[in-house]
Amino acid sequence: MKTLKLLPFGLALLSACGTSTDEIVVNVADYGIMPDSGNDCTYRVNHVIDSISGVNPGEKLTFRFSAGRYDFYPSDSLTKEYYISNHDQVNPKYVGIALEGRNNMTIDGGGADFIFHGRMLPVALIESDSCSLKNFSIDFEQPHIVQVTIVDNDTVNGIISYRPEPWVKYEVIDSVFTVSGEGWSHEPCAGIAFEPETKHMVYRTSDFSVGTRGAVESAPGVITAPWNNPRLVAGTKVVMRTYGRPCPGIFIADDRDINIENVKVHYAEGMGLLAQMSENITLEKFSVCLRGDDDPRYFTTQADATHFSACKGEIVSVGGLYEGMMDDAINVHGTYLKIKNKLDSVTVVGQYMHHQAYGFRWGEPGDSVQFIASQTMELVGDKNTIAAISPYDCTETAGAKEFKITFSSPLPQSLNPDSASFGIENLEWTPSVLFADNVVRNNRARGALFSTPRRVVAENNLFDHTSGTAILLCGDCNGWFETGACRDVVIRGNKFINALTNMFQFTNAVISIYPEIPDLDSQKKYFHSGITITGNEFDTFDIPLLYAKSVDGLVFKDNVVKHNDKYKPFHWNNQPVLLERVINADINTMD
């Protein structure tokens, strides 16, 4: 390893020229990038990375920070046009650290705390190979999510008083409670309630509207507004938010062999990490988490902690902590294109359907695909191969919603988009998944979602008050258009503590195998298969453990079930195991 002692900023680039094939370590402090200065380091950090990286492209480079705080502002950031899966497709993005076309590069924060301002995409890693991010945290000076404490609840008159936390910047404008930060302002529209002591979501509250209209500041720092919700007792912490998700904390696209180690995302206005069209991603002790037990916040990210859209190779997430996010800990899936037109016997127009999933590459010539009937979620015809693919509604892939796709073999005659709805699934971009030794707790919606035909292992995880279903195997070619059928899933050695305290989509049991099938009665084949659930511990106040729909091959046995009285049972599903169209099942629900 070679450490470069760099010259003052204007001359430092000359010192990077060398012939060593060892790893080169660049201490950013030698460029004057110092922690705790309060200065905007955005331009300087990106300039250093660009300059040194261009000198000897074949060498391994590590850019090392020192522990402390570094501030990033949008005014000096890089502006990029990125179309990010499962996010709002608004451009440009203001990027704090942009790594594009990099190979063998490591960003080692050395315990640094990267603080972002305004509305930014903190880290983007694009079209890069064998890169690592390690030893830093991501947070924002002013989160867009708002937190308040209930002061008083007049349930007779439907009026609630609440106190915004000290870091919240707010005004009452024309009787509307409005929050703001650097370059943004909005009125929250939805809320999530947390128990003040445990940070669990409040039992049976789910999503609710918030009292922001007709507001007055009834006392210094106290807002009073019409708001009818008897479950919000004094002391309850309420997280108020919009449903916008402009940027994740880390964006990974068109990459290969990426390792993220000991990185924490404390807040992002979208997901903690979003990866798309990338191969082999390893998360080691990657966390979306609070700043410890004394953190006054009860929330982390606006949406999922981690999300993998149309990736391949192996996805590994081990040793992480996922808490306080407004959606799932992990979601792994591809995206169905809906067949809009059939141009000839081998050519179709396929369309991205969800408003938060379009504008990025969907496939390449040579990729294997299969077709599916949306109403029954059954396969149609045999597998096929992409011969050619190009944007159809615009000239570039960036921003495209439609693709013209030519296949190497004739299409099934029954595939007629004029008479029924059909989707295309890309089988090339489907990963195997290892999700192990993680803690998922105190979040909204669900725990872990897997929709991939390759092997999935979820083992030795703790799912503690996930509020909804702890593990979901889905598949949907009608709403979210997220593929696909699971073929080899092992769920073992996990502990589930009091899931299902709230109702969200797909929450039919602690483990829910729930593909969206509008016409299940007409289905003749089965969607999921090869699912084994063994050696897990269920510690639950309610009854439903497993729900499964359209499965061929399901094992549920050797699990331990313990019942507690923490909450009153309320779920509509009063069966430990509820099966719909399931064959070849080995079920044993003995406690």
Side-chain angles (χ1 to χ4, degrees), residues 369-413:
V369 303
Q370 62 187 13
F371 307 102
I372 192 166
S374 300
Q375 288 298 300
T376 61
M377 297 296 286
E378 293 177 293
L379 296 180
V380 178
D382 298 325
K383 293 178 183 177
N384 212 321
T385 303
I386 297 176
I389 181 171
S390 60
Y392 189 72
D393 60 336
C394 56
T395 58
E396 297 180 351
T397 296
K401 293 184 178 179
E402 298 177 356
F403 293 92
K404 179 181 177 181
I405 308 174
T406 300
F407 300 99
S408 58
S409 300
L411 299 166
Q413 290 187 351

mmCIF file of all heavy atoms in Angstrom, residues 369-413:
data_model
loop_
_atom_site.group_PDB
_atom_site.id
_atom_site.type_symbol
_atom_site.label_atom_id
_atom_site.label_comp_id
_atom_site.label_asym_id
_atom_site.label_seq_id
_atom_site.Cartn_x
_atom_site.Cartn_y
_atom_site.Cartn_z
ATOM 1 N N VAL A 369 -36.233 -14.138 -21.336
ATOM 2 C CA VAL A 369 -37.459 -13.550 -20.824
ATOM 3 C C VAL A 369 -38.573 -14.591 -20.807
ATOM 4 O O VAL A 369 -38.462 -15.659 -21.430
ATOM 5 C CB VAL A 369 -37.911 -12.333 -21.669
ATOM 6 C CG1 VAL A 369 -36.822 -11.272 -21.721
ATOM 7 C CG2 VAL A 369 -38.309 -12.763 -23.067
ATOM 8 N N GLN A 370 -39.646 -14.274 -20.090
ATOM 9 C CA GLN A 370 -40.852 -15.081 -20.149
ATOM 10 C C GLN A 370 -42.059 -14.161 -20.078
ATOM 11 O O GLN A 370 -41.971 -13.008 -19.643
ATOM 12 C CB GLN A 370 -40.888 -16.118 -19.027
ATOM 13 C CG GLN A 370 -40.900 -15.554 -17.629
ATOM 14 C CD GLN A 370 -40.763 -16.646 -16.571
ATOM 15 O OE1 GLN A 370 -40.419 -17.795 -16.859
ATOM 16 N NE2 GLN A 370 -41.030 -16.306 -15.323
ATOM 17 N N PHE A 371 -43.194 -14.683 -20.526
ATOM 18 C CA PHE A 371 -44.418 -13.897 -20.619
ATOM 19 C C PHE A 371 -45.421 -14.396 -19.578
ATOM 20 O O PHE A 371 -45.454 -15.581 -19.249
ATOM 21 C CB PHE A 371 -45.019 -13.993 -22.023
ATOM 22 C CG PHE A 371 -44.036 -13.641 -23.106
ATOM 23 C CD1 PHE A 371 -43.414 -14.637 -23.853
ATOM 24 C CD2 PHE A 371 -43.712 -12.316 -23.373
ATOM 25 C CE1 PHE A 371 -42.499 -14.328 -24.838
ATOM 26 C CE2 PHE A 371 -42.794 -11.987 -24.361
ATOM 27 C CZ PHE A 371 -42.188 -12.998 -25.090
ATOM 28 N N ILE A 372 -46.239 -13.463 -19.080
ATOM 29 C CA ILE A 372 -47.173 -13.821 -18.023
ATOM 30 C C ILE A 372 -48.517 -13.155 -18.288
ATOM 31 O O ILE A 372 -48.584 -12.024 -18.779
ATOM 32 C CB ILE A 372 -46.611 -13.403 -16.635
ATOM 33 C CG1 ILE A 372 -47.426 -14.024 -15.511
ATOM 34 C CG2 ILE A 372 -46.546 -11.886 -16.499
ATOM 35 C CD1 ILE A 372 -46.739 -13.942 -14.161
ATOM 36 N N ALA A 373 -49.590 -13.902 -18.001
ATOM 37 C CA ALA A 373 -50.948 -13.354 -18.098
ATOM 38 C C ALA A 373 -51.276 -12.634 -16.797
ATOM 39 O O ALA A 373 -51.238 -13.238 -15.717
ATOM 40 C CB ALA A 373 -51.945 -14.472 -18.357
ATOM 41 N N SER A 374 -51.594 -11.366 -16.876
ATOM 42 C CA SER A 374 -51.732 -10.544 -15.670
ATOM 43 C C SER A 374 -52.861 -11.013 -14.757
ATOM 44 O O SER A 374 -52.739 -10.964 -13.530
ATOM 45 C CB SER A 374 -51.973 -9.084 -16.060
ATOM 46 O OG SER A 374 -50.900 -8.580 -16.817
ATOM 47 N N GLN A 375 -53.981 -11.460 -15.319
ATOM 48 C CA GLN A 375 -55.136 -11.798 -14.499
ATOM 49 C C GLN A 375 -54.931 -13.061 -13.671
ATOM 50 O O GLN A 375 -55.387 -13.147 -12.538
ATOM 51 C CB GLN A 375 -56.384 -11.943 -15.385
ATOM 52 C CG GLN A 375 -56.895 -10.615 -15.921
ATOM 53 C CD GLN A 375 -57.330 -9.670 -14.810
ATOM 54 O OE1 GLN A 375 -58.235 -9.991 -14.033
ATOM 55 N NE2 GLN A 375 -56.682 -8.521 -14.716
ATOM 56 N N THR A 376 -54.250 -14.042 -14.229
ATOM 57 C CA THR A 376 -54.032 -15.299 -13.509
ATOM 58 C C THR A 376 -52.600 -15.474 -13.043
ATOM 59 O O THR A 376 -52.308 -16.412 -12.301
ATOM 60 C CB THR A 376 -54.408 -16.489 -14.402
ATOM 61 O OG1 THR A 376 -53.571 -16.480 -15.569
ATOM 62 C CG2 THR A 376 -55.871 -16.438 -14.811
ATOM 63 N N MET A 377 -51.693 -14.610 -13.480
ATOM 64 C CA MET A 377 -50.264 -14.695 -13.162
ATOM 65 C C MET A 377 -49.685 -16.053 -13.572
ATOM 66 O O MET A 377 -48.799 -16.600 -12.914
ATOM 67 C CB MET A 377 -50.033 -14.422 -11.676
ATOM 68 C CG MET A 377 -50.441 -13.028 -11.232
ATOM 69 S SD MET A 377 -49.469 -11.710 -12.001
ATOM 70 C CE MET A 377 -47.931 -11.850 -11.127
ATOM 71 N N GLU A 378 -50.165 -16.565 -14.698
ATOM 72 C CA GLU A 378 -49.649 -17.815 -15.247
ATOM 73 C C GLU A 378 -48.719 -17.527 -16.417
ATOM 74 O O GLU A 378 -48.917 -16.562 -17.184
ATOM 75 C CB GLU A 378 -50.800 -18.696 -15.728
ATOM 76 C CG GLU A 378 -51.683 -19.199 -14.609
ATOM 77 C CD GLU A 378 -52.855 -20.021 -15.136
ATOM 78 O OE1 GLU A 378 -53.724 -19.435 -15.792
ATOM 79 O OE2 GLU A 378 -52.871 -21.225 -14.891
ATOM 80 N N LEU A 379 -47.715 -18.377 -16.582
ATOM 81 C CA LEU A 379 -46.801 -18.236 -17.706
ATOM 82 C C LEU A 379 -47.523 -18.541 -19.011
ATOM 83 O O LEU A 379 -48.390 -19.417 -19.076
ATOM 84 C CB LEU A 379 -45.603 -19.164 -17.532
ATOM 85 C CG LEU A 379 -44.700 -18.889 -16.328
ATOM 86 C CD1 LEU A 379 -43.551 -19.892 -16.286
ATOM 87 C CD2 LEU A 379 -44.165 -17.465 -16.357
ATOM 88 N N VAL A 380 -47.121 -17.809 -20.053
ATOM 89 C CA VAL A 380 -47.708 -17.987 -21.373
ATOM 90 C C VAL A 380 -46.587 -18.367 -22.336
ATOM 91 O O VAL A 380 -45.633 -17.618 -22.518
ATOM 92 C CB VAL A 380 -48.391 -16.686 -21.855
ATOM 93 C CG1 VAL A 380 -48.957 -16.868 -23.259
ATOM 94 C CG2 VAL A 380 -49.480 -16.259 -20.878
ATOM 95 N N GLY A 381 -46.699 -19.541 -22.956
ATOM 96 C CA GLY A 381 -45.691 -19.977 -23.911
ATOM 97 C C GLY A 381 -44.381 -20.333 -23.237
ATOM 98 O O GLY A 381 -44.279 -20.483 -22.016
ATOM 99 N N ASP A 382 -43.337 -20.477 -24.054
ATOM 100 C CA ASP A 382 -42.016 -20.848 -23.569
ATOM 101 C C ASP A 382 -41.153 -19.618 -23.346
ATOM 102 O O ASP A 382 -41.488 -18.507 -23.766
ATOM 103 C CB ASP A 382 -41.332 -21.767 -24.590
ATOM 104 C CG ASP A 382 -42.089 -23.060 -24.809
ATOM 105 O OD1 ASP A 382 -42.676 -23.576 -23.820
ATOM 106 O OD2 ASP A 382 -42.123 -23.544 -25.956
ATOM 107 N N LYS A 383 -40.010 -19.841 -22.712
ATOM 108 C CA LYS A 383 -39.038 -18.754 -22.563
ATOM 109 C C LYS A 383 -38.563 -18.306 -23.938
ATOM 110 O O LYS A 383 -38.550 -19.077 -24.901
ATOM 111 C CB LYS A 383 -37.852 -19.214 -21.722
ATOM 112 C CG LYS A 383 -38.207 -19.511 -20.266
ATOM 113 C CD LYS A 383 -36.994 -20.014 -19.504
ATOM 114 C CE LYS A 383 -37.373 -20.388 -18.071
ATOM 115 N NZ LYS A 383 -36.223 -20.942 -17.325
ATOM 116 N N ASN A 384 -38.159 -17.047 -24.015
ATOM 117 C CA ASN A 384 -37.690 -16.484 -25.272
ATOM 118 C C ASN A 384 -36.433 -15.676 -24.988
ATOM 119 O O ASN A 384 -35.985 -15.577 -23.839
ATOM 120 C CB ASN A 384 -38.788 -15.616 -25.897
ATOM 121 C CG ASN A 384 -38.762 -15.612 -27.409
ATOM 122 O OD1 ASN A 384 -37.689 -15.593 -28.025
ATOM 123 N ND2 ASN A 384 -39.946 -15.633 -28.032
ATOM 124 N N THR A 385 -35.857 -15.083 -26.018
ATOM 125 C CA THR A 385 -34.617 -14.326 -25.876
ATOM 126 C C THR A 385 -34.737 -13.003 -26.613
ATOM 127 O O THR A 385 -35.288 -12.949 -27.719
ATOM 128 C CB THR A 385 -33.421 -15.118 -26.445
ATOM 129 O OG1 THR A 385 -33.333 -16.382 -25.788
ATOM 130 C CG2 THR A 385 -32.115 -14.361 -26.247
ATOM 131 N N ILE A 386 -34.223 -11.953 -26.006
ATOM 132 C CA ILE A 386 -34.237 -10.643 -26.655
ATOM 133 C C ILE A 386 -33.209 -10.623 -27.782
ATOM 134 O O ILE A 386 -32.028 -10.885 -27.559
ATOM 135 C CB ILE A 386 -33.928 -9.527 -25.643
ATOM 136 C CG1 ILE A 386 -35.007 -9.470 -24.564
ATOM 137 C CG2 ILE A 386 -33.810 -8.181 -26.350
ATOM 138 C CD1 ILE A 386 -34.726 -8.446 -23.472
ATOM 139 N N ALA A 387 -33.673 -10.306 -28.981
ATOM 140 C CA ALA A 387 -32.764 -10.130 -30.116
ATOM 141 C C ALA A 387 -32.351 -8.675 -30.272
ATOM 142 O O ALA A 387 -31.207 -8.371 -30.649
ATOM 143 C CB ALA A 387 -33.414 -10.635 -31.406
ATOM 144 N N ALA A 388 -33.267 -7.759 -29.996
ATOM 145 C CA ALA A 388 -32.978 -6.323 -30.084
ATOM 146 C C ALA A 388 -33.950 -5.578 -29.187
ATOM 147 O O ALA A 388 -35.102 -5.988 -29.015
ATOM 148 C CB ALA A 388 -33.107 -5.831 -31.526
ATOM 149 N N ILE A 389 -33.473 -4.468 -28.602
ATOM 150 C CA ILE A 389 -34.321 -3.647 -27.749
ATOM 151 C C ILE A 389 -33.887 -2.196 -27.885
ATOM 152 O O ILE A 389 -32.701 -1.890 -27.932
ATOM 153 C CB ILE A 389 -34.262 -4.112 -26.278
ATOM 154 C CG1 ILE A 389 -35.172 -3.245 -25.394
ATOM 155 C CG2 ILE A 389 -32.841 -4.143 -25.746
ATOM 156 C CD1 ILE A 389 -35.337 -3.788 -23.978
ATOM 157 N N SER A 390 -34.870 -1.293 -27.987
ATOM 158 C CA SER A 390 -34.563 0.127 -28.124
ATOM 159 C C SER A 390 -35.725 0.942 -27.578
ATOM 160 O O SER A 390 -36.875 0.480 -27.560
ATOM 161 C CB SER A 390 -34.308 0.497 -29.586
ATOM 162 O OG SER A 390 -35.452 0.204 -30.375
ATOM 163 N N PRO A 391 -35.460 2.164 -27.093
ATOM 164 C CA PRO A 391 -36.563 3.020 -26.634
ATOM 165 C C PRO A 391 -37.552 3.270 -27.763
ATOM 166 O O PRO A 391 -37.165 3.402 -28.929
ATOM 167 C CB PRO A 391 -35.856 4.310 -26.219
ATOM 168 C CG PRO A 391 -34.443 3.930 -25.997
ATOM 169 C CD PRO A 391 -34.151 2.814 -26.950
ATOM 170 N N TYR A 392 -38.826 3.333 -27.400
ATOM 171 C CA TYR A 392 -39.870 3.482 -28.421
ATOM 172 C C TYR A 392 -40.554 4.841 -28.359
ATOM 173 O O TYR A 392 -40.971 5.375 -29.384
ATOM 174 C CB TYR A 392 -40.911 2.376 -28.240
ATOM 175 C CG TYR A 392 -41.920 2.286 -29.356
ATOM 176 C CD1 TYR A 392 -41.557 1.786 -30.615
ATOM 177 C CD2 TYR A 392 -43.243 2.683 -29.167
ATOM 178 C CE1 TYR A 392 -42.484 1.691 -31.649
ATOM 179 C CE2 TYR A 392 -44.179 2.592 -30.189
ATOM 180 C CZ TYR A 392 -43.795 2.105 -31.425
ATOM 181 O OH TYR A 392 -44.708 2.018 -32.451
ATOM 182 N N ASP A 393 -40.663 5.421 -27.161
ATOM 183 C CA ASP A 393 -41.371 6.684 -27.020
ATOM 184 C C ASP A 393 -40.438 7.882 -26.953
ATOM 185 O O ASP A 393 -40.889 9.016 -26.833
ATOM 186 C CB ASP A 393 -42.264 6.657 -25.790
ATOM 187 C CG ASP A 393 -41.478 6.423 -24.503
ATOM 188 O OD1 ASP A 393 -40.373 5.848 -24.572
ATOM 189 O OD2 ASP A 393 -41.965 6.820 -23.425
ATOM 190 N N CYS A 394 -39.127 7.655 -27.010
ATOM 191 C CA CYS A 394 -38.156 8.739 -27.051
ATOM 192 C C CYS A 394 -36.868 8.194 -27.656
ATOM 193 O O CYS A 394 -36.776 7.010 -27.982
ATOM 194 C CB CYS A 394 -37.912 9.339 -25.666
ATOM 195 S SG CYS A 394 -37.395 8.157 -24.430
ATOM 196 N N THR A 395 -35.880 9.056 -27.796
ATOM 197 C CA THR A 395 -34.658 8.655 -28.505
ATOM 198 C C THR A 395 -33.622 8.011 -27.607
ATOM 199 O O THR A 395 -32.707 7.338 -28.100
ATOM 200 C CB THR A 395 -34.025 9.876 -29.196
ATOM 201 O OG1 THR A 395 -33.734 10.881 -28.211
ATOM 202 C CG2 THR A 395 -34.970 10.443 -30.241
ATOM 203 N N GLU A 396 -33.730 8.207 -26.279
ATOM 204 C CA GLU A 396 -32.751 7.666 -25.340
ATOM 205 C C GLU A 396 -33.443 6.829 -24.279
ATOM 206 O O GLU A 396 -34.627 7.011 -23.990
ATOM 207 C CB GLU A 396 -31.983 8.803 -24.664
ATOM 208 C CG GLU A 396 -31.158 9.670 -25.620
ATOM 209 C CD GLU A 396 -30.432 10.765 -24.873
ATOM 210 O OE1 GLU A 396 -30.701 10.941 -23.666
ATOM 211 O OE2 GLU A 396 -29.593 11.444 -25.494
ATOM 212 N N THR A 397 -32.656 5.918 -23.685
ATOM 213 C CA THR A 397 -33.207 5.102 -22.605
ATOM 214 C C THR A 397 -33.583 5.955 -21.406
ATOM 215 O O THR A 397 -34.610 5.720 -20.760
ATOM 216 C CB THR A 397 -32.187 4.028 -22.195
ATOM 217 O OG1 THR A 397 -31.969 3.140 -23.301
ATOM 218 C CG2 THR A 397 -32.685 3.220 -21.008
ATOM 219 N N ALA A 398 -32.745 6.957 -21.083
ATOM 220 C CA ALA A 398 -33.040 7.831 -19.955
ATOM 221 C C ALA A 398 -34.370 8.544 -20.191
ATOM 222 O O ALA A 398 -34.530 9.308 -21.136
ATOM 223 C CB ALA A 398 -31.926 8.847 -19.767
ATOM 224 N N GLY A 399 -35.323 8.258 -19.342
ATOM 225 C CA GLY A 399 -36.648 8.858 -19.468
ATOM 226 C C GLY A 399 -37.647 8.028 -20.239
ATOM 227 O O GLY A 399 -38.831 8.372 -20.292
ATOM 228 N N ALA A 400 -37.211 6.932 -20.840
ATOM 229 C CA ALA A 400 -38.118 6.126 -21.661
ATOM 230 C C ALA A 400 -39.117 5.367 -20.793
ATOM 231 O O ALA A 400 -38.775 4.827 -19.736
ATOM 232 C CB ALA A 400 -37.328 5.143 -22.512
ATOM 233 N N LYS A 401 -40.348 5.301 -21.274
ATOM 234 C CA LYS A 401 -41.376 4.471 -20.651
ATOM 235 C C LYS A 401 -41.709 3.251 -21.510
ATOM 236 O O LYS A 401 -42.302 2.300 -21.014
ATOM 237 C CB LYS A 401 -42.645 5.283 -20.405
ATOM 238 C CG LYS A 401 -42.495 6.381 -19.372
ATOM 239 C CD LYS A 401 -43.824 7.085 -19.122
ATOM 240 C CE LYS A 401 -43.685 8.159 -18.049
ATOM 241 N NZ LYS A 401 -44.965 8.869 -17.799
ATOM 242 N N GLU A 402 -41.354 3.307 -22.797
ATOM 243 C CA GLU A 402 -41.709 2.219 -23.710
ATOM 244 C C GLU A 402 -40.465 1.738 -24.467
ATOM 245 O O GLU A 402 -39.581 2.542 -24.791
ATOM 246 C CB GLU A 402 -42.767 2.682 -24.710
ATOM 247 C CG GLU A 402 -44.069 3.107 -24.065
ATOM 248 C CD GLU A 402 -45.076 3.624 -25.088
ATOM 249 O OE1 GLU A 402 -44.713 3.717 -26.285
ATOM 250 O OE2 GLU A 402 -46.212 3.940 -24.691
ATOM 251 N N PHE A 403 -40.438 0.435 -24.721
ATOM 252 C CA PHE A 403 -39.351 -0.168 -25.476
ATOM 253 C C PHE A 403 -39.915 -1.033 -26.600
ATOM 254 O O PHE A 403 -40.899 -1.753 -26.402
ATOM 255 C CB PHE A 403 -38.474 -1.045 -24.571
ATOM 256 C CG PHE A 403 -37.717 -0.282 -23.533
ATOM 257 C CD1 PHE A 403 -38.255 -0.083 -22.262
ATOM 258 C CD2 PHE A 403 -36.468 0.246 -23.812
ATOM 259 C CE1 PHE A 403 -37.560 0.616 -21.298
ATOM 260 C CE2 PHE A 403 -35.764 0.953 -22.859
ATOM 261 C CZ PHE A 403 -36.316 1.141 -21.605
ATOM 262 N N LYS A 404 -39.272 -0.931 -27.743
ATOM 263 C CA LYS A 404 -39.553 -1.867 -28.839
ATOM 264 C C LYS A 404 -38.618 -3.046 -28.664
ATOM 265 O O LYS A 404 -37.400 -2.895 -28.644
ATOM 266 C CB LYS A 404 -39.311 -1.182 -30.184
ATOM 267 C CG LYS A 404 -39.542 -2.084 -31.380
ATOM 268 C CD LYS A 404 -39.250 -1.334 -32.683
ATOM 269 C CE LYS A 404 -39.401 -2.240 -33.896
ATOM 270 N NZ LYS A 404 -39.082 -1.514 -35.160
ATOM 271 N N ILE A 405 -39.206 -4.245 -28.536
ATOM 272 C CA ILE A 405 -38.416 -5.443 -28.243
ATOM 273 C C ILE A 405 -38.684 -6.488 -29.317
ATOM 274 O O ILE A 405 -39.834 -6.864 -29.563
ATOM 275 C CB ILE A 405 -38.761 -6.025 -26.866
ATOM 276 C CG1 ILE A 405 -38.675 -4.936 -25.784
ATOM 277 C CG2 ILE A 405 -37.820 -7.172 -26.520
ATOM 278 C CD1 ILE A 405 -39.141 -5.390 -24.424
ATOM 279 N N THR A 406 -37.621 -6.942 -29.940
ATOM 280 C CA THR A 406 -37.709 -8.029 -30.919
ATOM 281 C C THR A 406 -37.103 -9.280 -30.302
ATOM 282 O O THR A 406 -36.024 -9.234 -29.697
ATOM 283 C CB THR A 406 -36.954 -7.665 -32.209
ATOM 284 O OG1 THR A 406 -37.537 -6.480 -32.767
ATOM 285 C CG2 THR A 406 -37.043 -8.790 -33.225
ATOM 286 N N PHE A 407 -37.807 -10.401 -30.453
ATOM 287 C CA PHE A 407 -37.381 -11.652 -29.838
ATOM 288 C C PHE A 407 -36.820 -12.601 -30.889
ATOM 289 O O PHE A 407 -37.113 -12.484 -32.083
ATOM 290 C CB PHE A 407 -38.557 -12.293 -29.097
ATOM 291 C CG PHE A 407 -39.105 -11.415 -28.002
ATOM 292 C CD1 PHE A 407 -40.239 -10.640 -28.221
ATOM 293 C CD2 PHE A 407 -38.490 -11.345 -26.773
ATOM 294 C CE1 PHE A 407 -40.740 -9.815 -27.223
ATOM 295 C CE2 PHE A 407 -38.984 -10.524 -25.767
ATOM 296 C CZ PHE A 407 -40.113 -9.754 -25.994
ATOM 297 N N SER A 408 -36.038 -13.551 -30.433
ATOM 298 C CA SER A 408 -35.377 -14.473 -31.357
ATOM 299 C C SER A 408 -36.315 -15.557 -31.871
ATOM 300 O O SER A 408 -36.066 -16.161 -32.921
ATOM 301 C CB SER A 408 -34.170 -15.133 -30.668
ATOM 302 O OG SER A 408 -34.579 -15.822 -29.499
ATOM 303 N N SER A 409 -37.429 -15.805 -31.155
ATOM 304 C CA SER A 409 -38.392 -16.823 -31.569
ATOM 305 C C SER A 409 -39.786 -16.205 -31.644
ATOM 306 O O SER A 409 -40.070 -15.196 -30.978
ATOM 307 C CB SER A 409 -38.408 -17.990 -30.570
ATOM 308 O OG SER A 409 -37.132 -18.586 -30.487
ATOM 309 N N PRO A 410 -40.676 -16.806 -32.446
ATOM 310 C CA PRO A 410 -42.040 -16.268 -32.568
ATOM 311 C C PRO A 410 -42.758 -16.236 -31.227
ATOM 312 O O PRO A 410 -42.548 -17.079 -30.347
ATOM 313 C CB PRO A 410 -42.716 -17.239 -33.541
ATOM 314 C CG PRO A 410 -41.594 -17.826 -34.327
ATOM 315 C CD PRO A 410 -40.442 -17.938 -33.371
ATOM 316 N N LEU A 411 -43.624 -15.254 -31.072
ATOM 317 C CA LEU A 411 -44.403 -15.102 -29.851
ATOM 318 C C LEU A 411 -45.571 -16.083 -29.829
ATOM 319 O O LEU A 411 -46.061 -16.495 -30.896
ATOM 320 C CB LEU A 411 -44.935 -13.672 -29.763
ATOM 321 C CG LEU A 411 -43.864 -12.581 -29.720
ATOM 322 C CD1 LEU A 411 -44.490 -11.216 -29.978
ATOM 323 C CD2 LEU A 411 -43.147 -12.596 -28.390
ATOM 324 N N PRO A 412 -46.044 -16.465 -28.658
ATOM 325 C CA PRO A 412 -47.226 -17.326 -28.582
ATOM 326 C C PRO A 412 -48.421 -16.658 -29.255
ATOM 327 O O PRO A 412 -48.638 -15.453 -29.107
ATOM 328 C CB PRO A 412 -47.455 -17.491 -27.082
ATOM 329 C CG PRO A 412 -46.152 -17.144 -26.431
ATOM 330 C CD PRO A 412 -45.513 -16.135 -27.317
ATOM 331 N N GLN A 413 -49.196 -17.436 -29.983
ATOM 332 C CA GLN A 413 -50.364 -16.873 -30.649
ATOM 333 C C GLN A 413 -51.386 -16.341 -29.658
ATOM 334 O O GLN A 413 -52.124 -15.396 -29.954
ATOM 335 C CB GLN A 413 -50.998 -17.932 -31.546
ATOM 336 C CG GLN A 413 -50.154 -18.290 -32.769
ATOM 337 C CD GLN A 413 -50.899 -19.224 -33.717
ATOM 338 O OE1 GLN A 413 -51.969 -19.731 -33.402
ATOM 339 N NE2 GLN A 413 -50.304 -19.448 -34.888
#
